[in-house]
């Protein structure tokens, strides 16, 4: 089945550490996105990529970085510069008949 | 400014009732709207969408209404079931050349048996 796979489902980060969240899709979609969701809030756009080797900042990119070396993969790194990283992170892709979302990664700072 | 808002943060209904979830949007240039259902700890699940050249679209037990004059969107769920309990988001699709979804804060639907 086609879809988006995010891993891990739960991730714990110590203060000052960088962590990378994985997002893989087999939908052959060109566009991919990372969103952040805080409790009781909607989704806010962190970064997006329209095509391989290209990506753009979204509304809340500070403290995050991404890469897009392959069409299928769009990993998100949460750096130590992100002061409040505890949140639910969602990856999405767009193409064909619309948006598809992954099942999310819950990141907690310990 | 950019905003997609919801009038009611929580909606409680009885099983079998019809539910109506409302959403206001601010960008009159938006041309595509989507309703999502999100259960706890999961990603958003597509429910129904509508383009700006339509004012109504029906799916299975769900109907979306779009009023461009007042920039208002609603989701109607017929014969609401306990399994419909979730947070519902409207999202507004914007972008010239690039598709970007702007989400509202969500409405929690609670369905009592």
């Amino acid at each position: 089945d086609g879809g988006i796979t995010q891993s891990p489902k739960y991730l714990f980060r110590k203060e000052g550490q960088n962590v990378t969240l994985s997002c893989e899709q087999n939908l052959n979609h060109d566009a991919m996105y990372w969103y952040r969701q805080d409790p009781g809030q909607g989704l806010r756009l962190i970064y997006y990529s329209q095509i391989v080797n290209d990506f753009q900042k979204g509304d809340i990119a500070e403290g995050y970085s991404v890469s897009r070396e392959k069409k299928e993969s769009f990993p998100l790194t949460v750096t130590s510069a992100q002061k409040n990283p505890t949140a639910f992170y969602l990856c999405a892709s767009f193409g064909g008949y619309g948006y598809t979302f992954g099942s999310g990664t819950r990141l907690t700072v310990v | 400014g950019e905003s997609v808002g919801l009038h009611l943060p929580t909606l409680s209904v009885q099983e079998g009732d019809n539910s109506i979830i409302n959403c206001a949007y601010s960008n009159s240039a938006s041309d595509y709207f989507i309703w999502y259902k999100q259960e706890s700890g999961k990603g958003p699940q597509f429910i129904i969408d509508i383009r700006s050249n339509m004012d109504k679209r029906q799916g299975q037990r769900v109907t979306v209404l779009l009023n461009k004059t007042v920039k208002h969107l609603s989701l109607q769920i017929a014969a609401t079931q306990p399994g419909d309990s979730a947070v519902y988001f409207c999202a507004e699709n914007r972008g010239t050349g690039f598709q970007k979804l702007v989400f509202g804060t969500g409405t929690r639907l609670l369905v009592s048996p």
Side-chain angles (χ1 to χ4, degrees):
Chain A
D1 289 337
I4 293 184
T5 301
Q6 289 188 242
S7 62
K9 188 172 178 63
Y10 299 97
L11 186 57
F12 297 90
R13 191 194 93 167
K14 293 182 179 179
E15 296 277 355
Q17 274 187 337
N18 292 354
V19 290
T20 297
L21 283 60
S22 171
C23 177
E24 303 278 334
Q25 54 103 354
N26 60 1
L27 300 164
N28 201 34
H29 287 173
D30 285 315
M32 296 187 73
Y33 309 77
W34 274 106
Y35 288 89
R36 169 182 171 138
Q37 187 176 28
D38 292 289
Q41 302 291 318
L43 282 67
R44 293 183 290 168
L45 183 64
I46 305 172
Y47 265 99
Y48 62 93
S49 169
Q50 298 182 68
I51 199 166
V52 174
N53 293 321
D54 180 71
F55 50 83
Q56 306 293 331
K57 293 182 178 180
D59 301 316
I60 55 165
E62 185 175 352
Y64 300 98
S65 66
V66 293
S67 63
R68 188 83 186 278
E69 297 177 0
K70 298 186 299 181
K71 188 176 188 177
E72 302 79 17
S73 179
F74 191 40
L76 173 74
T77 296
V78 185
T79 75
S80 57
Q82 171 49 241
K83 298 306 179 187
N84 186 22
T86 295
F88 189 50
Y89 291 87
L90 284 156
C91 180
S93 68
F94 178 83
Y97 195 63
Y99 291 89
T100 301
F101 283 86
S103 56
T105 293
R106 187 167 298 281
L107 174 63
T108 303
V109 173
V110 296
Chain B
E2 296 188 351
S3 67
V4 176
L6 292 168
H7 297 306
L8 296 172
T10 302
L11 176 64
S12 297
V13 300
Q14 295 287 325
E15 182 177 1
D17 286 352
N18 295 334
S19 302
I20 300 176
I21 301 172
N22 297 303
C23 178
Y25 65 94
S26 60
N27 191 326
S28 57
S30 294
D31 60 359
Y32 178 51
F33 303 86
I34 310 171
W35 279 100
Y36 287 98
K37 173 185 181 182
Q38 188 179 28
E39 297 174 322
S40 181
K42 297 183 179 179
Q45 176 187 357
F46 173 91
I47 301 173
I48 193 168
D49 58 1
I50 188 168
R51 297 205 173 270
S52 59
N53 61 352
M54 303 171 70
D55 53 21
K56 180 179 180 179
R57 190 167 187 214
Q58 288 185 291
Q60 186 177 13
R61 286 202 304 120
V62 294
T63 300
V64 55
L65 300 177
L66 175 62
N67 185 331
K68 294 182 288 295
T69 302
V70 296
K71 291 184 283 189
H72 183 268
L73 196 67
S74 69
L75 175 71
Q76 301 178 1
I77 304 174
T80 313
Q81 302 168 1
D84 294 327
S85 294
V87 177
Y88 289 81
F89 292 96
C90 65
E92 178 183 357
N93 193 57
R94 303 177 192 168
T96 304
F98 159 63
Q99 305 297 313
K100 174 183 174 181
L101 276 182
V102 176
F103 285 82
T105 53
T107 292
R108 182 173 299 279
L109 177 65
L110 299 175
V111 183
S112 303

